[in-house]
């Protein structure tokens, strides 16, 4: 019994000491006018004020300041769903926030739209009888049509951004060529690029239908930083892991926004199949936030008829556009973190 009482006393004292030396980050941020963005999926977050940003992870004493400088501080702690930081963490943050910042902040500088397949590679194909006529639906044609519509919408809305396509006509590009195009886009300091690959599904099950959005599996490890980012191998690995997690968070958010946009535009014409994770070549080899959109199943007769209907393709392109626009607004305000104050 004495041992139990002693353990309870020690636990109480440690809890009290923890409470005295730490503060609820969200509550503290509200008092000082800072913004907190927290992503529970990756256990990472962002603290922002006066144009400065601090990227952090729960349980890690390394933070990334303004996306270029690593600093050591007390590790943030997640306890009972609440994020706590030490007074030292807050003090160091305020020192950064007081430095005059003349930079305009991160923004989306380019969007690359990849129309899957093309040329000698038609992708999925199927023939159906629609309104008494036989039609052959080729994936490469649907992909390109929606990609062009999306490109036109984005160019109209964002004349200051690079809106690019991997292909603008019926030509063949290898998967490696597509990612090479993505990774070679020139950006200015403080700019980011998004990669959107457009495809159409097919299945032996003729009843399969619906649209879905894919992002890279969280367990897949890749190098996203330039090899010259730093000469210190250990530092490079830490920075690469942090950037990987950030790209994953942003890709999931893009997928969610696009799925929401498609659902709004398509309505009950097709079924949403949700957002999913997979290691598709084009998204695992692109060094940026990337998603792959499957517009529907051309093996399904009802859906095949929709996929050759220009008005339906306009709905799809508008849904994807609205999702991307929502992400761009969010990104340019919070650098891609899902946020709760």
């Amino acid at each position: 019994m004495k041992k139990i009482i002693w353990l309870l006393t020690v636990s109480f004292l440690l809890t009290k000491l923890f409470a005295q030396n730490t503060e609820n980050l969200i509550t503290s941020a509200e008092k000082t006018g800072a913004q907190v963005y927290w992503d529970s999926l990756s256990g990472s977050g962002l603290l922002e004020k006066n144009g400065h940003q601090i990227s952090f992870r729960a349980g890690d004493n390394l933070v990334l300041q303004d996306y270029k400088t690593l600093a050591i501080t007390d590790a943030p702690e997640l306890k009972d769903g609440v994020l706590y930081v030490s007074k030292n963490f807050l003090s160091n943050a305020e020192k950064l926030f007081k430095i005059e910042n003349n930079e305009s902040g991160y923004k989306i500088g380019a969007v690359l739209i990849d129309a899957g397949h093309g040329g000698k590679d038609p992708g999925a194909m199927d023939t159906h009888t629609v309104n008494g006529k036989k039609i052959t639906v080729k994936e490469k044609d649907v992909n390109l049509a929606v990609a062009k519509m999306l490109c036109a919408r984005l160019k109209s809305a964002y004349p200051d951004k690079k809106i690019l396509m991997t292909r603008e006509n019926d030509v063949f590009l290898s998967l490696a060529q597509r990612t090479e195009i993505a990774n070679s886009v020139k950006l200015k300091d403080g700019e980011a690029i998004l990669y959107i690959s457009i495809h159409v599904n097919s299945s032996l099950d003729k009843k399969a239908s619906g649209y879905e959005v894919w992002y890279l599996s969280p367990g897949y490890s890749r190098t996203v930083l330039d090899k010259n980012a730093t000469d210190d191998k250990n530092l490079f690995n830490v920075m690469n892991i942090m950037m990987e997690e950030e790209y994953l968070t942003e890709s999931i958010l893009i997928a969610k926004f696009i799925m929401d946009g498609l659902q709004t535009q398509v309505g009950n014409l097709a079924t949403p199949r949700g957002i999913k994770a997979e290691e598709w070549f084009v998204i695992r080899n692109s060094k940026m936030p990337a998603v792959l959109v499957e517009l529907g199943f051309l093996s399904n007769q009802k859906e095949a008829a929709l996929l050759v209907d220009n008005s339906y393709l306009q709905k799809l392109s508008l849904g994807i556009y609205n999702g991307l626009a929502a992400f761009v607004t969010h990104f340019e305000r919070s650098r891609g973190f899902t946020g709760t104050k």
Side-chain angles (χ1 to χ4, degrees), residues 109-166:
V111 179
L112 179 62
I113 307 164
D114 174 39
H117 305 280
K120 64 181 182 180
D121 173 19
M125 292 175 57
D126 212 334
T127 300
H128 300 277
T129 301
V130 178
N131 297 326
K133 293 183 179 180
K134 280 193 173 183
I135 58 167
T136 297
V137 186
K138 296 181 181 179
E139 180 185 358
K140 66 175 184 177
D141 296 336
V142 179
N143 296 343
L144 184 59
V146 173
K148 284 184 173 181
M149 294 173 185
L150 176 60
C151 183
R153 292 182 189 278
L154 288 169
K155 281 186 174 181
S156 177
Y158 301 109
D160 60 323
K161 303 183 189 302
K162 292 180 181 178
I163 310 300
L164 310 169
M165 296 178 64
T166 54

Side-chain angles (χ1 to χ4, degrees), residues 74-306:
D74 297 336
E77 296 185 46
L78 192 63
K79 186 175 177 64
D80 297 327
V82 179
L83 196 59
Y84 291 95
V85 292
S86 70
K87 293 179 181 178
N88 182 52
F89 180 100
L90 294 172
S91 175
N92 290 337
E94 280 303 318
K95 288 177 183 177
L96 175 68
F97 296 154
K98 288 178 181 178
I99 298 174
E100 184 176 354
N101 188 356
N102 296 319
E103 296 181 5
S104 59
Y106 254 75
K107 70 172 186 175
I108 300 298
V111 179
L112 179 62
I113 307 164
D114 174 39
H117 305 280
K120 64 181 182 180
D121 173 19
M125 292 175 57
D126 212 334
T127 300
H128 300 277
T129 301
V130 178
N131 297 326
K133 293 183 179 180
K134 280 193 173 183
I135 58 167
T136 297
V137 186
K138 296 181 181 179
E139 180 185 358
K140 66 175 184 177
D141 296 336
V142 179
N143 296 343
L144 184 59
V146 173
K148 284 184 173 181
M149 294 173 185
L150 176 60
C151 183
R153 292 182 189 278
L154 288 169
K155 281 186 174 181
S156 177
Y158 301 109
D160 60 323
K161 303 183 189 302
K162 292 180 181 178
I163 310 300
L164 310 169
M165 296 178 64
T166 54
R167 67 180 181 98
E168 297 182 25
N169 45 48
D170 188 18
V171 296
F172 172 77
L173 291 174
S174 68
L175 297 177
Q177 285 176 306
R178 295 170 192 272
T179 54
E180 184 179 342
I181 291 170
N183 294 330
S184 64
V185 174
K186 301 299 181 183
L187 299 169
K188 298 177 182 177
D189 289 342
E191 288 187 338
I193 178 174
L194 308 180
Y195 185 95
I196 315 299
S197 190
I198 297 175
H199 289 259
V200 176
N201 239 326
S202 182
S203 173
L204 293 175
D205 178 5
K206 299 299 181 180
K207 294 181 180 179
S209 65
Y211 51 88
E212 53 200 18
V213 188
W214 296 80
Y215 59 90
L216 184 63
S217 300
Y220 188 85
S221 180
R222 57 180 174 157
T223 300
V224 295
L225 286 183
D226 185 277
K227 62 181 180 179
N228 298 318
T230 176
D231 294 329
D232 187 322
K233 184 178 179 180
N234 292 329
L235 189 60
F236 178 89
N237 290 338
V238 171
M239 292 175 68
N240 188 71
I241 289 171
M242 294 181 77
M243 192 58 71
E244 271 190 293
E245 290 179 348
E246 193 167 330
Y247 284 172
L248 172 62
T249 300
E250 291 162 357
S251 298
I252 292 172
L253 194 57
I254 294 170
K256 182 182 182 304
F257 281 149
I258 289 178
M259 178 56 63
D260 290 345
L262 287 170
Q263 284 184 261
T264 299
Q265 293 302 316
V266 172
N268 59 6
L269 292 175
T271 305
R273 294 167 63 92
I275 62 174
K276 305 176 181 181
E278 184 55 84
E279 296 170 10
W280 301 116
F281 185 96
V282 290
I283 55 177
R284 76 171 188 256
N285 287 285
S286 52
K287 299 177 180 180
M288 61 203 66
V291 297
L292 185 147
V293 184
E294 293 279 8
L295 301 173
F297 283 77
L298 55 74
S299 50
N300 180 293
Q301 180 162 341
K302 178 185 175 183
E303 209 150 79
L306 289 172

Side-chain angles (χ1 to χ4, degrees), residues 311-322:
S311 64
Y312 183 73
L313 299 187
Q314 289 286 1
K315 290 179 184 293
L316 292 174
S317 70
L318 181 56
I320 298 171
Y321 163 78
N322 286 339

Side-chain angles (χ1 to χ4, degrees), residues 32-35 47-54 94 96-97 101:
T32 60
Q35 298 286 327
L47 184 63
E48 181 184 54
K49 184 180 177 182
N50 297 338
H52 292 285
Q53 301 86 19
I54 299 174
E94 280 303 318
L96 175 68
F97 296 154
N101 188 356

